């Protein structure tokens, strides 16, 4: 499944996942913010990818965790 949503942070992103069970609880992620795009890989498979409206320099690797809202 794919869900595309614009957000207020200057990013149009797409969420790719296999089933809704992947979108509950707390998940770890890692990824990269490049000059004009973002890709985050979640620990249980989903991917969040998008294009930035404003360039970011330098590119950075990111990791962390987050909770899906209920």
């Amino acid at each position: 499944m794919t869900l595309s949503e614009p957000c207020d942070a200057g990013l149009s992103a797409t969420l790719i996942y296999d089933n809704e069970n992947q979108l509950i609880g707390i998940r770890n992620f890692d990824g990269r913010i490049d000059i004009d795009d973002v890709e985050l890989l979640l620990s249980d498979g989903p991917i969040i990818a998008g294009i930035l409206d404003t360039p970011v320099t330098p590119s950075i690797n990111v990791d962390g965790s987050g909770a899906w809202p209920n």
Side-chain angles (χ1 to χ4, degrees), residues 25-30 41-43 62-68:
I26 297 172
R27 302 288 186 232
N28 294 322
F29 69 87
D30 62 86
L41 309 172
L42 282 68
S43 60
V62 294
D63 62 57
S65 63
W68 293 104

Side-chain angles (χ1 to χ4, degrees), residues 2-4 6 9 11-12 22-23 27 29-31 41-44 49 55 57-59 62 64 67-68 70:
T2 302
L3 175 66
S4 294
L11 171 69
S12 296
Q22 293 176 304
L23 308 180
R27 302 288 186 232
F29 69 87
D30 62 86
L41 309 172
L42 282 68
S43 60
D44 60 336
T57 188
S59 299
V62 294
W68 293 104
N70 293 332

Side-chain angles (χ1 to χ4, degrees), residues 14-53:
T14 300
L15 169 63
I16 302 168
Y17 61 99
D18 295 322
N19 63 68
E20 291 183 9
N21 289 332
Q22 293 176 304
L23 308 180
I24 58 176
I26 297 172
R27 302 288 186 232
N28 294 322
F29 69 87
D30 62 86
R32 184 158 179 87
I33 301 173
D34 282 321
I35 292 172
D36 59 1
D37 67 335
V38 173
E39 183 173 75
L40 302 176
L41 309 172
L42 282 68
S43 60
D44 60 336
I47 298 170
I48 300 172
I51 304 297
L52 295 169
D53 293 341

